[in-house]
Amino acid sequence: MMNKTPLFAKTNRGIGGSAPSKYSQKIIMDNRVTEKNLNNYLETHLISVEDFKNDNFEEYFIKRAKSLLKLISDAMDKPISNLDGEDVVKAFGKALI
């Protein structure tokens, strides 16, 4: 599973190994971005702001995977198969349908 979002090098160094609930507040407190703009940035990357800020990693990954798969499906104008397959359930802990 991959979770990548482009960041400025300074932002990436600043967040280190911290949880999103911690580094998102640090970014805001350092006046790098307003909370409203941060939330907008997250949403444009198909990230659930609530799950991100509450360190709810399981739901964060599942919701983002579903959103990305829907984007791909819509772009191809056809459904993606096997979203409830054994390999998907093994990787995500549940089906992605």
Side-chain angles (χ1 to χ4, degrees):
M1 180 180 340
M2 186 166 84
N3 178 45
K4 299 289 182 186
T5 297
L7 298 172
F8 289 108
K10 182 177 179 180
T11 302
N12 194 36
R13 284 189 302 275
I15 64 177
S18 301
S21 62
K22 302 288 185 225
Y23 69 73
S24 62
Q25 290 306 306
K26 180 175 177 12
I27 291 169
I28 293 166
M29 297 298 285
D30 289 350
N31 293 316
R32 290 195 216 163
V33 68
T34 65
E35 184 167 12
K36 180 180 177 182
N37 284 342
L38 177 61
N39 292 349
N40 288 335
Y41 297 150
L42 294 171
E43 288 169 354
T44 65
H45 289 269
L46 305 177
I47 295 171
S48 164
V49 173
E50 180 181 348
D51 293 330
F52 178 85
K53 290 186 175 181
N54 290 313
D55 303 328
N56 187 353
F57 300 116
E58 184 175 321
E59 281 302 308
Y60 162 91
F61 283 115
I62 289 169
K63 287 178 184 174
R64 190 163 194 221
K66 286 181 178 182
S67 295
L68 290 168
L69 290 167
K70 181 180 180 335
L71 193 70
I72 293 166
S73 176
D74 290 349
M76 295 182 349
D77 197 29
K78 61 192 247 185
I80 296 174
S81 62
N82 198 40
L83 294 178
D84 59 349
E86 185 178 319
D87 55 334
V88 173
V89 173
K90 183 178 179 183
F92 287 92
K94 62 169 83 172
L96 294 179
I97 53 175

XYZ file of all heavy atoms in Angstrom:
770
model
N 0.852 -1.167 0.000
C 0.000 0.000 0.000
C 0.899 1.232 0.000
O 1.913 1.280 0.664
C -0.871 -0.038 1.257
C -1.782 1.113 1.370
S -2.846 1.128 2.830
C -2.893 -0.506 3.422
N 0.493 2.220 -0.739
C 1.289 3.431 -0.835
C 0.449 4.633 -0.428
O -0.724 4.705 -0.729
C 1.771 3.605 -2.271
C 2.722 4.742 -2.422
S 3.585 4.705 -3.988
C 2.401 5.488 -5.047
N 1.076 5.541 0.272
C 0.407 6.766 0.701
C 1.363 7.921 0.465
O 2.213 8.198 1.295
C 0.036 6.659 2.180
C -0.619 7.928 2.670
O -1.484 8.477 2.012
N -0.190 8.401 3.822
N 1.236 8.567 -0.671
C 2.149 9.642 -1.023
C 1.372 10.898 -1.405
O 0.427 10.841 -2.166
C 3.041 9.248 -2.204
C 3.919 8.046 -1.933
C 4.998 8.401 -0.957
C 5.906 7.208 -0.725
N 6.875 7.440 0.288
N 1.787 11.999 -0.866
C 1.264 13.310 -1.230
C 2.461 14.237 -1.325
O 3.312 14.243 -0.431
C 0.261 13.818 -0.176
O -0.856 12.931 -0.147
C -0.216 15.216 -0.480
N 2.567 15.027 -2.388
C 3.720 15.925 -2.527
C 3.771 16.964 -1.407
O 2.744 17.527 -1.031
C 3.496 16.609 -3.866
C 2.322 15.981 -4.493
C 1.639 15.131 -3.495
N 4.958 17.168 -0.870
C 5.191 18.163 0.181
C 6.435 18.966 -0.155
O 7.343 18.464 -0.810
C 5.437 17.477 1.531
C 4.341 16.618 2.128
C 4.880 15.899 3.352
C 3.140 17.441 2.488
N 6.478 20.185 0.331
C 7.716 20.938 0.260
C 8.733 20.262 1.169
O 8.373 19.690 2.208
C 7.503 22.389 0.717
C 6.711 23.216 -0.256
C 5.410 23.590 0.036
C 7.263 23.606 -1.465
C 4.668 24.343 -0.855
C 6.540 24.371 -2.358
C 5.232 24.741 -2.060
N 10.014 20.329 0.820
C 11.063 19.686 1.612
C 11.042 20.171 3.056
O 11.184 19.377 3.996
C 12.427 19.936 0.974
N 10.864 21.472 3.263
C 10.837 22.043 4.619
C 9.683 21.452 5.423
O 9.843 21.112 6.598
C 10.703 23.566 4.542
C 10.721 24.245 5.889
C 10.651 25.751 5.745
C 10.656 26.406 7.118
N 10.585 27.857 7.025
N 8.521 21.298 4.802
C 7.365 20.709 5.491
C 7.652 19.252 5.834
O 7.388 18.806 6.951
C 6.101 20.810 4.609
O 5.869 22.183 4.302
C 4.892 20.229 5.317
N 8.211 18.523 4.894
C 8.507 17.110 5.115
C 9.489 16.919 6.275
O 9.309 16.034 7.119
C 9.051 16.484 3.834
C 9.068 14.976 3.884
O 8.178 14.363 4.449
N 10.069 14.393 3.277
N 10.516 17.750 6.337
C 11.473 17.673 7.450
C 10.807 18.033 8.775
O 11.099 17.455 9.808
C 12.671 18.594 7.193
C 13.655 18.053 6.175
C 14.937 18.891 6.119
N 14.707 20.293 5.811
C 14.591 20.812 4.589
N 14.707 20.035 3.536
N 14.388 22.101 4.405
N 9.906 18.996 8.736
C 9.244 19.458 9.954
C 8.296 18.451 10.569
O 8.123 18.416 11.784
N 7.696 17.610 9.736
C 6.735 16.649 10.289
C 7.426 15.405 10.827
O 6.905 14.743 11.718
C 5.628 16.275 9.283
C 6.193 15.563 8.070
C 4.845 17.496 8.889
C 5.140 15.096 7.083
N 8.599 15.087 10.293
C 9.354 13.941 10.791
C 8.493 12.704 10.892
O 7.741 12.374 9.995
N 8.557 12.011 12.012
C 7.779 10.797 12.232
C 6.547 11.033 13.075
O 5.997 10.099 13.639
N 6.105 12.270 13.166
C 4.956 12.616 14.005
C 3.645 12.158 13.385
O 3.521 12.036 12.168
C 4.877 14.124 14.211
O 6.034 14.620 14.807
N 2.656 11.970 14.237
C 1.307 11.632 13.785
C 0.659 12.878 13.177
O 0.987 14.008 13.550
C 0.475 11.140 14.964
N -0.269 12.690 12.238
C -0.927 13.835 11.606
C -1.566 14.814 12.593
O -1.513 16.022 12.379
C -1.991 13.188 10.719
C -1.441 11.849 10.404
C -0.695 11.427 11.644
N -2.129 14.312 13.676
C -2.754 15.209 14.657
C -1.731 16.171 15.250
O -2.063 17.297 15.605
C -3.426 14.410 15.768
O -2.468 13.633 16.471
N -0.492 15.735 15.340
C 0.574 16.577 15.905
C 1.161 17.518 14.846
O 1.255 18.718 15.059
C 1.695 15.714 16.489
C 1.243 14.767 17.562
C 0.912 15.497 18.829
C 0.587 14.477 19.919
N -0.583 14.816 20.672
N 1.559 16.962 13.704
C 2.240 17.826 12.738
C 1.302 18.783 12.028
O 1.735 19.861 11.623
C 3.120 17.043 11.767
C 2.467 16.160 10.743
C 1.802 16.681 9.640
C 2.583 14.779 10.833
C 1.244 15.865 8.677
C 2.038 13.949 9.880
C 1.366 14.495 8.802
O 0.827 13.679 7.853
N 0.024 18.442 11.908
C -0.895 19.402 11.288
C -1.024 20.643 12.165
O -1.045 21.771 11.654
C -2.261 18.780 11.010
O -2.897 18.363 12.195
N -1.070 20.451 13.463
C -1.144 21.600 14.369
C 0.151 22.403 14.354
O 0.132 23.622 14.423
C -1.482 21.136 15.792
C -2.901 20.635 15.929
C -3.921 21.654 15.438
O -3.926 22.804 15.869
N -4.781 21.232 14.517
N 1.278 21.712 14.225
C 2.574 22.406 14.158
C 2.643 23.272 12.904
O 3.104 24.419 12.954
C 3.722 21.400 14.180
C 5.096 22.044 14.123
C 6.192 21.020 14.276
C 7.592 21.548 14.157
N 7.851 22.917 14.176
N 2.178 22.747 11.787
C 2.185 23.512 10.538
C 1.337 24.777 10.689
O 1.733 25.859 10.265
C 1.677 22.639 9.365
C 2.691 21.535 9.057
C 1.407 23.486 8.126
C 2.159 20.466 8.110
N 0.193 24.635 11.319
C -0.698 25.791 11.535
C -0.066 26.782 12.508
O -0.047 27.989 12.257
C -2.079 25.317 12.022
C -2.785 24.526 10.908
C -2.932 26.497 12.486
C -3.989 23.731 11.372
N 0.473 26.272 13.608
C 1.057 27.147 14.633
C 2.293 27.885 14.114
O 2.571 29.000 14.545
C 1.424 26.342 15.890
C 0.229 25.706 16.583
S -0.962 26.903 17.182
C -0.106 27.518 18.605
N 3.031 27.272 13.192
C 4.212 27.923 12.605
C 3.829 28.929 11.527
O 4.693 29.461 10.834
C 5.154 26.869 11.996
C 5.860 26.038 13.047
O 5.784 26.387 14.245
O 6.483 25.025 12.676
N 2.521 29.162 11.377
C 1.991 30.106 10.395
C 2.384 29.768 8.956
O 2.546 30.652 8.121
C 2.409 31.541 10.722
C 1.758 32.028 11.994
O 0.568 31.811 12.203
N 2.542 32.654 12.847
N 2.540 28.475 8.678
C 2.846 28.067 7.306
C 1.582 28.016 6.454
O 1.655 28.145 5.245
C 3.531 26.704 7.297
C 4.921 26.756 7.859
C 5.677 25.512 7.513
N 6.532 25.164 8.628
C 7.075 23.990 8.807
N 6.839 23.030 7.950
N 7.837 23.761 9.832
N 0.441 27.782 7.116
C -0.832 27.685 6.404
C -1.956 27.863 7.415
O -1.790 27.544 8.593
C -0.943 26.320 5.666
C -1.054 25.166 6.637
C -2.085 26.304 4.686
N -3.074 28.384 6.958
C -4.235 28.473 7.851
C -4.888 27.096 7.938
O -4.710 26.251 7.049
C -5.268 29.485 7.326
O -5.799 28.994 6.095
C -4.667 30.868 7.152
N -5.647 26.879 8.988
C -6.329 25.594 9.129
C -7.295 25.365 7.966
O -7.388 24.256 7.434
C -7.068 25.516 10.460
C -7.705 24.163 10.690
C -8.164 23.942 12.108
O -8.215 24.900 12.895
O -8.483 22.781 12.426
N -7.977 26.427 7.555
C -8.912 26.309 6.435
C -8.189 25.875 5.163
O -8.653 24.971 4.454
C -9.622 27.645 6.207
C -10.608 27.619 5.068
C -11.280 28.971 4.889
C -12.211 28.925 3.682
N -12.847 30.205 3.438
N -7.049 26.498 4.866
C -6.296 26.126 3.669
C -5.723 24.719 3.770
O -5.717 23.979 2.782
C -5.189 27.132 3.382
C -5.719 28.412 2.772
O -6.834 28.458 2.261
N -4.927 29.460 2.830
N -5.238 24.337 4.947
C -4.729 22.979 5.138
C -5.840 21.970 4.857
O -5.631 20.988 4.142
C -4.167 22.791 6.544
C -3.669 21.376 6.867
C -2.539 20.964 5.929
C -3.225 21.285 8.321
N -7.013 22.221 5.405
C -8.147 21.322 5.169
C -8.468 21.237 3.677
O -8.733 20.141 3.155
C -9.375 21.776 5.949
C -9.208 21.634 7.439
O -8.260 21.018 7.921
N -10.116 22.214 8.183
N -8.438 22.384 2.998
C -8.686 22.386 1.550
C -7.631 21.581 0.801
O -7.960 20.827 -0.116
C -8.743 23.810 1.001
C -10.003 24.537 1.409
O -11.025 23.931 1.701
N -9.930 25.857 1.431
N -6.362 21.729 1.173
C -5.291 20.969 0.528
C -5.517 19.474 0.715
O -5.379 18.695 -0.223
C -3.918 21.338 1.105
C -3.473 22.759 0.901
C -2.638 23.370 1.826
C -3.875 23.505 -0.202
C -2.220 24.687 1.660
C -3.463 24.819 -0.372
C -2.639 25.400 0.558
O -2.221 26.694 0.393
N -5.841 19.082 1.939
C -6.074 17.664 2.223
C -7.219 17.122 1.381
O -7.110 16.042 0.788
C -6.364 17.452 3.720
C -5.211 17.752 4.669
C -5.695 17.725 6.109
C -4.067 16.771 4.462
N -8.300 17.881 1.322
C -9.472 17.429 0.567
C -9.162 17.299 -0.919
O -9.662 16.379 -1.576
C -10.641 18.378 0.798
C -11.213 18.246 2.196
C -12.211 19.338 2.570
O -12.396 20.292 1.775
O -12.800 19.230 3.652
N -8.333 18.182 -1.474
C -7.995 18.061 -2.902
C -7.151 16.829 -3.177
O -7.067 16.384 -4.323
C -7.252 19.309 -3.439
O -5.994 19.429 -2.797
C -8.080 20.566 -3.268
N -6.544 16.253 -2.150
C -5.771 15.014 -2.284
C -6.593 13.800 -1.847
O -6.042 12.730 -1.600
C -4.469 15.108 -1.484
C -3.476 16.038 -2.093
N -2.530 15.622 -3.002
C -3.310 17.369 -1.963
C -1.816 16.656 -3.394
N -2.266 17.735 -2.769
N -7.906 14.009 -1.768
C -8.858 12.946 -1.417
C -8.574 12.357 -0.035
O -8.684 11.158 0.183
C -8.856 11.854 -2.494
C -9.121 12.345 -3.917
C -9.017 11.197 -4.907
C -10.479 13.026 -4.027
N -8.226 13.229 0.893
C -7.931 12.829 2.270
C -9.057 13.301 3.173
O -9.422 14.475 3.156
C -6.580 13.426 2.735
C -5.436 12.835 1.899
C -6.353 13.205 4.221
C -4.099 13.510 2.117
N -9.581 12.394 3.984
C -10.597 12.753 4.969
C -9.939 13.570 6.075
O -9.088 13.063 6.815
C -11.220 11.486 5.568
O -11.913 11.785 6.757
N -10.314 14.832 6.180
C -9.732 15.723 7.183
C -9.967 15.176 8.584
O -9.059 15.162 9.421
C -10.298 17.160 7.040
C -9.834 18.049 8.173
C -9.912 17.750 5.695
N -11.157 14.694 8.837
C -11.487 14.169 10.166
C -10.605 12.981 10.531
O -10.023 12.940 11.622
C -12.961 13.752 10.212
C -13.382 13.196 11.553
C -14.839 12.763 11.575
O -15.594 13.088 10.642
O -15.214 12.079 12.538
N -10.473 12.020 9.631
C -9.638 10.851 9.915
C -8.174 11.238 10.037
O -7.454 10.725 10.899
C -9.808 9.790 8.828
C -11.198 9.179 8.825
O -11.821 9.107 9.902
O -11.672 8.785 7.745
N -7.716 12.141 9.198
C -6.333 12.615 9.221
C -6.006 13.253 10.569
O -5.029 12.892 11.216
C -6.143 13.624 8.083
C -4.777 14.240 8.007
C -3.749 13.603 7.332
C -4.520 15.479 8.577
C -2.496 14.188 7.240
C -3.272 16.068 8.490
C -2.258 15.409 7.811
N -6.836 14.172 11.002
C -6.555 14.922 12.232
C -6.799 14.112 13.497
O -6.327 14.485 14.573
C -7.361 16.214 12.260
C -6.850 17.210 11.229
C -7.524 18.539 11.341
C -6.896 19.522 10.382
N -7.510 20.842 10.490
N -7.527 12.992 13.375
C -7.771 12.122 14.528
C -6.892 10.876 14.500
O -7.114 9.951 15.282
C -9.251 11.732 14.599
C -10.112 12.906 14.977
O -9.820 13.640 15.910
N -11.190 13.120 14.227
N -5.911 10.858 13.602
C -4.991 9.723 13.479
C -5.729 8.395 13.292
O -5.292 7.359 13.768
C -4.047 9.635 14.692
C -3.249 10.897 14.903
O -2.927 11.573 13.907
O -2.954 11.230 16.066
N -6.852 8.445 12.601
C -7.647 7.243 12.339
C -7.133 6.618 11.037
O -7.750 6.733 9.980
C -9.130 7.607 12.239
C -10.011 6.399 12.150
O -9.548 5.271 12.026
N -11.312 6.626 12.192
N -5.979 5.980 11.134
C -5.272 5.501 9.958
C -6.056 4.464 9.158
O -6.041 4.496 7.933
C -3.905 4.943 10.351
C -3.023 5.958 11.004
C -2.620 5.801 12.319
C -2.610 7.095 10.317
C -1.819 6.753 12.933
C -1.809 8.044 10.918
C -1.411 7.868 12.229
N -6.709 3.540 9.832
C -7.436 2.478 9.123
C -8.510 3.073 8.209
O -8.564 2.772 7.013
C -8.075 1.509 10.119
C -8.749 0.341 9.444
C -9.275 -0.679 10.431
O -8.599 -0.942 11.446
O -10.372 -1.198 10.175
N -9.349 3.945 8.753
C -10.403 4.559 7.938
C -9.819 5.516 6.901
O -10.315 5.608 5.786
C -11.422 5.286 8.812
C -12.413 4.365 9.463
C -13.197 3.524 8.457
O -13.784 4.092 7.506
O -13.210 2.300 8.623
N -8.767 6.214 7.274
C -8.091 7.140 6.351
C -7.659 6.404 5.087
O -7.941 6.837 3.975
C -6.885 7.753 7.071
C -5.852 8.391 6.177
C -5.929 9.736 5.844
C -4.783 7.657 5.669
C -4.974 10.332 5.033
C -3.829 8.245 4.861
C -3.933 9.578 4.549
O -2.991 10.160 3.741
N -6.964 5.267 5.244
C -6.471 4.513 4.098
C -7.608 3.919 3.278
O -7.569 3.945 2.041
C -5.501 3.413 4.536
C -4.141 3.929 4.878
C -3.669 3.842 6.166
C -3.329 4.501 3.905
C -2.401 4.325 6.490
C -2.078 4.987 4.215
C -1.606 4.894 5.515
N -8.615 3.391 3.946
C -9.735 2.779 3.229
C -10.500 3.836 2.440
O -10.792 3.652 1.252
C -10.641 2.006 4.202
C -9.900 0.751 4.676
C -11.974 1.648 3.557
C -10.549 0.024 5.827
N -10.822 4.944 3.078
C -11.559 6.009 2.377
C -10.744 6.569 1.216
O -11.276 6.834 0.136
C -11.939 7.130 3.347
C -13.043 6.765 4.292
C -13.323 7.914 5.256
C -14.359 7.532 6.284
N -14.530 8.595 7.299
N -9.458 6.763 1.423
C -8.631 7.320 0.350
C -8.495 6.323 -0.798
O -8.567 6.706 -1.969
C -7.254 7.720 0.867
C -6.488 8.516 -0.182
C -5.335 9.273 0.397
N -4.837 10.260 -0.552
C -3.552 10.495 -0.736
N -2.636 9.861 -0.043
N -3.173 11.395 -1.609
N -8.315 5.060 -0.474
C -8.230 4.034 -1.523
C -9.517 4.007 -2.338
O -9.477 3.978 -3.578
C -7.949 2.667 -0.904
N -10.654 4.035 -1.666
C -11.943 4.032 -2.378
C -12.076 5.266 -3.265
O -12.534 5.175 -4.405
C -13.101 3.975 -1.386
C -13.299 2.622 -0.746
C -14.482 2.658 0.212
C -14.757 1.326 0.835
N -15.930 1.364 1.732
N -11.682 6.423 -2.748
C -11.775 7.659 -3.525
C -10.868 7.619 -4.752
O -11.267 8.032 -5.850
C -11.414 8.867 -2.664
O -12.352 9.045 -1.640
N -9.643 7.140 -4.575
C -8.709 7.051 -5.698
C -9.187 6.041 -6.733
O -9.099 6.290 -7.944
C -7.309 6.692 -5.193
C -6.597 7.789 -4.410
C -5.351 7.239 -3.719
C -6.241 8.959 -5.304
N -9.710 4.913 -6.268
C -10.234 3.912 -7.196
C -11.440 4.435 -7.964
O -11.593 4.160 -9.154
C -10.579 2.620 -6.447
C -9.366 1.846 -5.937
C -9.799 0.768 -4.949
C -8.590 1.242 -7.100
N -12.288 5.212 -7.303
C -13.434 5.807 -7.990
C -12.959 6.787 -9.054
O -13.491 6.821 -10.173
C -14.370 6.511 -7.005
C -15.597 7.111 -7.696
C -16.517 7.800 -6.736
C -17.724 8.403 -7.374
N -17.689 8.775 -8.756
N -11.950 7.571 -8.731
C -11.387 8.521 -9.693
C -10.855 7.774 -10.930
O -11.102 8.188 -12.065
C -10.270 9.313 -9.010
C -9.748 10.544 -9.698
C -10.779 11.660 -9.669
C -8.484 11.011 -8.992
N -10.154 6.690 -10.697
C -9.618 5.880 -11.796
C -10.753 5.262 -12.603
O -10.748 5.310 -13.839
C -8.674 4.786 -11.244
C -7.423 5.426 -10.644
C -8.324 3.772 -12.330
C -6.595 4.493 -9.782
N -11.728 4.708 -11.920
C -12.875 4.094 -12.582
C -13.619 5.109 -13.444
O -13.975 4.826 -14.597
C -13.816 3.486 -11.539
O -14.974 2.965 -12.138
N -13.844 6.288 -12.902
C -14.533 7.345 -13.654
C -13.720 7.770 -14.875
O -14.279 7.985 -15.945
C -14.807 8.556 -12.762
C -15.864 8.297 -11.698
O -16.547 7.248 -11.762
O -15.991 9.144 -10.790
N -12.406 7.885 -14.721
C -11.549 8.294 -15.836
C -11.544 7.245 -16.947
O -11.486 7.582 -18.128
C -10.124 8.543 -15.342
N -11.622 5.968 -16.554
C -11.635 4.888 -17.541
C -13.038 4.614 -18.066
O -13.204 3.883 -19.031
C -11.067 3.607 -16.922
C -9.630 3.710 -16.544
S -8.854 2.218 -15.859
C -10.138 1.082 -15.538
N -14.033 5.182 -17.395
C -15.435 4.967 -17.730
C -15.816 3.492 -17.684
O -16.561 2.994 -18.534
C -15.778 5.574 -19.096
C -17.278 5.730 -19.291
O -17.990 5.917 -18.284
O -17.732 5.671 -20.453
N -15.260 2.800 -16.677
C -15.621 1.407 -16.456
C -15.309 1.031 -15.016
O -14.428 1.619 -14.383
C -14.933 0.478 -17.442
C -13.428 0.480 -17.395
C -12.835 -0.231 -18.594
C -12.143 -1.502 -18.212
N -11.459 -2.167 -19.315
N -16.056 0.069 -14.488
C -15.830 -0.318 -13.087
C -14.517 -1.083 -12.910
O -14.010 -1.692 -13.850
C -17.027 -1.222 -12.780
C -17.480 -1.731 -14.100
C -17.128 -0.672 -15.116
N -13.990 -0.998 -11.708
C -12.795 -1.764 -11.342
C -13.277 -3.042 -10.669
O -14.065 -2.999 -9.728
C -11.880 -0.952 -10.410
C -11.369 0.284 -11.147
C -10.717 -1.803 -9.908
C -10.569 1.233 -10.301
N -12.791 -4.164 -11.145
C -13.235 -5.452 -10.600
C -12.379 -5.885 -9.418
O -11.320 -5.320 -9.156
C -13.194 -6.520 -11.693
O -11.874 -6.696 -12.164
N -12.869 -6.873 -8.736
C -12.160 -7.551 -7.639
C -11.944 -6.689 -6.396
O -11.044 -6.951 -5.606
C -10.820 -8.115 -8.131
C -10.271 -9.164 -7.190
O -11.026 -9.985 -6.663
N -8.968 -9.146 -6.972
N -12.749 -5.655 -6.200
C -12.583 -4.810 -5.018
C -13.016 -5.506 -3.733
O -12.794 -4.985 -2.647
C -13.336 -3.488 -5.194
C -12.794 -2.578 -6.291
C -13.641 -1.324 -6.406
C -11.338 -2.234 -6.051
N -13.616 -6.678 -3.891
C -13.962 -7.477 -2.718
C -13.212 -8.809 -2.733
O -13.545 -9.732 -2.011
C -15.473 -7.713 -2.637
C -16.033 -8.426 -3.861
O -15.300 -8.562 -4.868
O -17.196 -8.848 -3.814
N -12.158 -8.867 -3.531
C -11.360 -10.082 -3.643
C -10.540 -10.356 -2.391
O -10.295 -9.479 -1.564
N -10.126 -11.587 -2.292
C -9.362 -12.039 -1.120
C -8.103 -11.212 -0.895
O -7.776 -10.849 0.240
C -8.992 -13.514 -1.311
C -8.313 -14.146 -0.121
C -8.015 -15.617 -0.370
O -8.852 -16.322 -0.947
O -6.914 -16.028 0.053
N -7.399 -10.891 -1.976
C -6.168 -10.103 -1.842
C -6.442 -8.688 -1.351
O -5.686 -8.134 -0.555
C -5.394 -10.079 -3.152
C -6.211 -9.578 -4.333
O -7.451 -9.699 -4.305
O -5.613 -9.067 -5.294
N -7.549 -8.100 -1.790
C -7.928 -6.753 -1.347
C -8.302 -6.781 0.134
O -7.845 -5.943 0.914
C -9.093 -6.194 -2.201
C -9.597 -4.880 -1.626
C -8.652 -6.023 -3.643
N -9.119 -7.751 0.520
C -9.531 -7.879 1.920
C -8.323 -8.129 2.807
O -8.207 -7.553 3.902
C -10.602 -8.987 2.083
C -10.901 -9.246 3.545
C -11.872 -8.611 1.310
N -7.383 -8.933 2.322
C -6.163 -9.200 3.103
C -5.347 -7.915 3.291
O -4.839 -7.633 4.364
C -5.337 -10.268 2.416
C -4.096 -10.657 3.189
C -3.334 -11.765 2.493
C -2.088 -12.118 3.286
N -1.293 -13.134 2.596
N -5.236 -7.121 2.242
C -4.416 -5.910 2.304
C -5.072 -4.797 3.125
O -4.394 -4.084 3.858
C -4.128 -5.402 0.884
N -6.416 -4.638 3.001
C -7.099 -3.508 3.627
C -7.942 -3.897 4.840
O -8.441 -3.030 5.535
C -7.990 -2.802 2.598
C -7.225 -2.003 1.595
C -6.828 -2.571 0.390
C -6.872 -0.689 1.853
C -6.113 -1.849 -0.547
C -6.165 0.049 0.924
C -5.777 -0.538 -0.274
N -8.143 -5.182 5.052
C -8.954 -5.624 6.185
C -10.439 -5.646 5.882
O -11.241 -6.062 6.700
N -10.808 -5.198 4.676
C -12.201 -5.239 4.235
C -12.256 -4.953 2.754
O -11.280 -4.493 2.163
C -13.086 -4.268 5.005
C -12.712 -2.795 4.846
C -13.755 -1.844 5.399
C -13.623 -1.634 6.869
N -14.487 -0.583 7.383
N -13.400 -5.236 2.155
C -13.611 -4.958 0.735
C -13.634 -3.452 0.485
O -13.972 -2.679 1.386
C -14.901 -5.609 0.258
N -13.289 -3.059 -0.711
C -13.263 -1.632 -1.066
C -14.436 -1.262 -1.975
O -14.336 -0.343 -2.778
C -11.938 -1.281 -1.746
C -10.709 -1.402 -0.879
C -9.448 -1.047 -1.673
C -10.800 -0.536 0.374
N -15.547 -1.923 -1.795
C -16.744 -1.593 -2.581
C -17.708 -0.782 -1.764
O -17.595 -0.633 -0.591
C -17.444 -2.856 -3.127
C -17.729 -3.850 -2.010
C -16.579 -3.486 -4.188
C -18.500 -5.047 -2.447
